């Protein structure tokens, strides 16, 4: 009996501490009436092995922006749904379990308006590749008026020509640059596609920037 | 010297018994003796040289400075346990000092985020976002040349970060130059920045 009690305490301890830590982060920064609901959503996400930090951050964002408790809870629930969809999409495209960062990245891309079916199409066209940057590249293109199908085709072609990860963002930047030079959307896509995989990389930071670098003083947390 | 002068000087003979020429010489001797007796007693050459050397009066700060510059034997006795504690405290101070807002050093998996906004007439501009838990007051932008263009360069983990500018402590503004935006779930949009890891 004593052993069972001890095992229960050892098993329940970290969960209790985690819950305490979430409430601690929310206390004083989120309306009191939202904390219990947000805490419940966070715990549900943890039970499903979904990343919970984006949910806490969404609640903190709502508190900072002075949003009502109801809207905060709604937004946190919506974020949890995006994380769920993102993981489902990633599970279809790769063998192993996706990491928390990958899930958050894809969820952010979905939040930019990339429809889930489009993401699934990307995942099947580029199996095993990181989906976050690929979907953000598509979102970059769509955000500049390119048709969704053209955007997906361009990014998939770049992936099939060996471009990986953040380099796919350079493909989108190259197409946008063509647009800014006066080319039509179709011409810009054709020009960049014709030059693949040779597109310019993002420029490095200017040397003077390194001397002015700062860190967020309260410690950097993981990306959104 | 005439022996009769010796006798007079020794008091054995009266000076009136001397002839006139010797009496004049006696008077010269007495004047010379009086002159030597009036002169101060001379010390040794070394004493006179040292006395002539001028030692300038130096200020306290100069003396302290010289003391600091000169070599001194310092003996510090510490138990090994205190030495270890001192080393640990110094290491902790060094680590904590590196976490401030001063110039930062990039670690693996980190990148540079540059925030730029044009806010003419603003008194303060700061950036809040997912990287600082949307907390105000931690990342102010600066406008050193007061041309209305505010900026900040920050070390962040590589990946996506959502953010907004807060102008004059109350006005939330979406970065018009971000190029990437995401629905914030509250009826507005956040700017989205994708930080790339710095290649070493």
């Amino acid at each position: 009996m004593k052993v069972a009690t001890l095992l229960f305490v050892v098993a329940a301890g970290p969960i209790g501490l985690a819950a305490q830590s979430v409430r601690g982060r929310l206390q004083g920064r989120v309306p009191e009436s939202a904390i219990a609901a947000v805490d419940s959503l966070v715990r549900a996400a943890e039970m499903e092995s979904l990343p919970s930090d984006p949910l806490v951050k969404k609640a903190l964002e709502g508190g900072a922006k002075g949003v009502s408790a109801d809207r905060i809870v709604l937004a946190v629930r919506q974020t949890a749904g995006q994380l769920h969809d993102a993981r489902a999409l990633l599970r279809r495209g790769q063998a192993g379990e996706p990491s928390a960062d990958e899930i958050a990245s894809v969820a952010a891309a979905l939040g930019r308006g990339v429809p889930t079916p489009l993401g699934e199409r990307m995942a099947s066209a580029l199996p095993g590749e990181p989906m976050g940057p690929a979907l953000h590249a598509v979102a970059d293109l769509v955000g500049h008026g390119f048709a969704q199908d053209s955007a997906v085709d361009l990014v998939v072609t770049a992936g099939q020509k060996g471009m990986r990860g953040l380099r796919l963002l350079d493909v989108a930047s190259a197409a946008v640059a063509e647009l800014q030079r006066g080319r039509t959307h179709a011409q810009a896509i054709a020009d960049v596609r014709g030059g693949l995989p040779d597109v310019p990389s993002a420029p490095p930071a200017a040397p003077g920037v390194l001397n002015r670098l700062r860190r967020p003083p309260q410690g950097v947390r993981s990306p959104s | 010297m005439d022996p009769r002068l010796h006798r007079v000087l020794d008091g054995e003979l009266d000076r009136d018994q001397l002839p006139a020429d010797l009496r004049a010489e006696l008077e010269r001797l007495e004047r010379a003796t009086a002159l030597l007796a009036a002169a101060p007693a001379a010390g040794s050459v070394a004493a006179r040289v040292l006395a002539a050397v001028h030692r300038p009066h130096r200020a306290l700060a100069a003396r302290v400075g010289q003391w600091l510059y000169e070599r001194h034997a310092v003996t510090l006795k510490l138990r090994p346990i205190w030495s270890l504690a001192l080393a640990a405290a110094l290491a902790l101070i060094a680590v904590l000092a590196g976490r401030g807002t001063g110039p930062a050093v990039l670690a693996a998996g980190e990148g540079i985020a540059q925030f730029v906004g044009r806010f003419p007439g603003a008194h303060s501009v700061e950036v809040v976002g997912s990287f600082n838990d949307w907390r105000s007051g931690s990342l102010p932008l600066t406008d050193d040349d007061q041309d209305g263009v505010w900026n900040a360069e920050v070390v962040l983990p590589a990946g996506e970060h959502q953010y907004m500018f807060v102008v004059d402590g109350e006005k939330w503004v979406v970065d018009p130059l971000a190029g990437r935006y995401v629905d914030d779930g509250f009826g507005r949009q956040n700017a989205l920045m994708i930080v790339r890891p710095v290649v070493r």
Side-chain angles (χ1 to χ4, degrees), chain B residues 133-151:
Chain B
D133 275 355
W134 299 90
R135 191 184 293 273
S136 292
S138 61
L139 277 177
L141 276 67
T142 56
D143 178 16
D144 293 336
D145 54 6
Q146 299 187 331
D147 62 352
V149 178
W150 297 72
N151 59 69

Side-chain angles (χ1 to χ4, degrees), chain A residues 25 29 57-58 61 64-65 71 75 105 111-112 136 140 170 209 212-215 217-218 220-221 223-224, chain B residues 101 103-105 110 114 130 132-135 138 140 152-155 157-158 160 172 180 184 186 190 196:
Chain A
R25 282 176 74 184
R29 299 196 57 206
K57 285 180 176 177
K58 182 54 68 180
E61 177 188 351
K65 291 179 174 176
R71 292 199 72 175
S105 178
R112 294 179 67 190
H136 278 293
D140 284 355
D170 296 333
V209 167
R212 302 192 298 267
L213 281 178
R214 289 179 289 159
R215 277 180 194 283
Q218 62 183 27
V220 178
R221 296 187 183 278
S224 60
Chain B
T101 56
V105 178
E110 290 184 331
Q114 290 181 274
S130 50
N132 59 0
D133 275 355
W134 299 90
R135 191 184 293 273
S138 61
E153 289 85 16
V154 185
V155 177
E160 296 89 357
W172 290 66
R180 294 186 178 105
D184 73 350
F186 305 117
N190 290 327
R196 298 179 185 225

Side-chain angles (χ1 to χ4, degrees), chain B residues 79-91:
Chain B
R79 294 177 197 274
I81 186 68
W82 291 119
S83 308
L84 290 172
L86 184 64
L90 290 173

Side-chain angles (χ1 to χ4, degrees), chain B residues 37-199:
Chain B
S44 67
V45 172
R48 277 182 285 156
V49 167
L50 285 174
V53 171
H54 175 65
R55 179 185 281 273
H57 177 71
R58 293 189 307 139
L60 177 64
R63 280 182 281 157
V64 170
Q66 186 179 354
W67 183 84
L68 290 172
Y69 179 74
E70 286 173 346
R71 292 181 178 185
H72 299 274
V74 177
T75 305
L76 185 63
K77 289 183 179 177
L78 275 180
R79 294 177 197 274
I81 186 68
W82 291 119
S83 308
L84 290 172
L86 184 64
L90 290 173
L92 184 65
I93 290 169
V95 168
L96 290 176
R99 296 175 62 188
T101 56
V105 178
L106 287 162
E110 290 184 331
I112 299 170
Q114 290 181 274
F115 299 100
V116 181
R118 190 169 183 278
F119 302 105
H123 295 101
S124 71
V125 179
E126 62 177 311
V127 60
V128 294
S130 50
F131 41 81
N132 59 0
D133 275 355
W134 299 90
R135 191 184 293 273
S136 292
S138 61
L139 277 177
L141 276 67
T142 56
D143 178 16
D144 293 336
D145 54 6
Q146 299 187 331
D147 62 352
V149 178
W150 297 72
N151 59 69
E153 289 85 16
V154 185
V155 177
L156 293 178
E160 296 89 357
H161 301 277
Q162 297 182 31
Y163 68 96
M164 286 188 85
F165 292 131
V166 180
V167 180
D168 292 337
E170 57 182 4
K171 190 177 172 191
W172 290 66
V173 180
V174 181
D175 181 358
L177 304 174
R180 294 186 178 105
Y181 303 95
V182 59
D183 180 10
D184 73 350
F186 305 117
R188 295 186 67 180
Q189 285 195 315
N190 290 327
L192 180 80
M193 177 176 283
I194 300 177
V195 175
R196 298 179 185 225
V198 170
V199 180

Side-chain angles (χ1 to χ4, degrees), chain A residues 21 27 94 98 118:
Chain A
S21 125
Q27 211 79 44
Q94 62 190 50
L118 214 62

Side-chain angles (χ1 to χ4, degrees), chain A residues 32-51:
Chain A
E32 198 66 35
S33 55
I35 289 179
V38 171
D39 187 43
S40 168
L41 288 167
V42 167
R43 274 194 274 181
E46 285 169 348
M47 295 279 280
E48 288 187 69
S49 301
L50 282 170

Side-chain angles (χ1 to χ4, degrees), chain A residues 17-203:
Chain A
L17 284 175
Q20 192 69 29
S21 125
V22 168
R23 283 177 176 266
R25 282 176 74 184
L26 299 176
Q27 211 79 44
R29 299 196 57 206
V30 170
E32 198 66 35
S33 55
I35 289 179
V38 171
D39 187 43
S40 168
L41 288 167
V42 167
R43 274 194 274 181
E46 285 169 348
M47 295 279 280
E48 288 187 69
S49 301
L50 282 170
S52 59
D53 203 44
L55 306 182
V56 178
K57 285 180 176 177
K58 182 54 68 180
L60 292 172
E61 177 188 351
K65 291 179 174 176
V67 175
S68 70
D70 289 349
R71 292 199 72 175
I72 288 175
V73 174
L74 196 64
V76 171
R77 189 171 287 125
Q78 185 184 344
T79 305
Q82 285 173 346
L83 291 169
H84 198 275
D85 292 349
R87 185 174 62 179
L89 190 154
L90 284 165
R91 278 177 172 169
R92 282 185 209 114
Q94 62 190 50
E97 189 65 13
S99 71
D101 284 350
E102 283 178 300
I103 294 171
S105 178
V106 169
L110 297 178
R112 294 179 67 190
V114 177
T116 306
L118 214 62
E120 289 170 353
R121 189 175 142 198
M122 298 275 299
S124 58
L126 298 171
E129 294 302 323
M131 272 299 102
L135 292 175
H136 278 293
V138 170
D140 284 355
L141 290 165
V142 172
H144 283 87
F146 290 93
Q148 285 184 355
D149 286 342
S150 303
V152 171
D153 286 345
L154 180 62
V155 174
V156 168
T157 304
Q160 288 168 342
K161 293 208 172 188
M163 300 187 75
R164 296 285 180 272
L166 294 170
R167 275 290 280 157
L168 294 174
L169 297 176
D170 296 333
V171 176
S173 300
V176 173
E178 291 296 323
L179 210 60
Q180 288 165 344
R181 286 172 52 196
R183 315 285 279 174
T184 65
H185 286 87
Q187 287 170 336
I189 290 276
D191 286 351
V192 174
R193 187 198 300 273
L196 288 175
D198 296 323
V199 293
S201 300

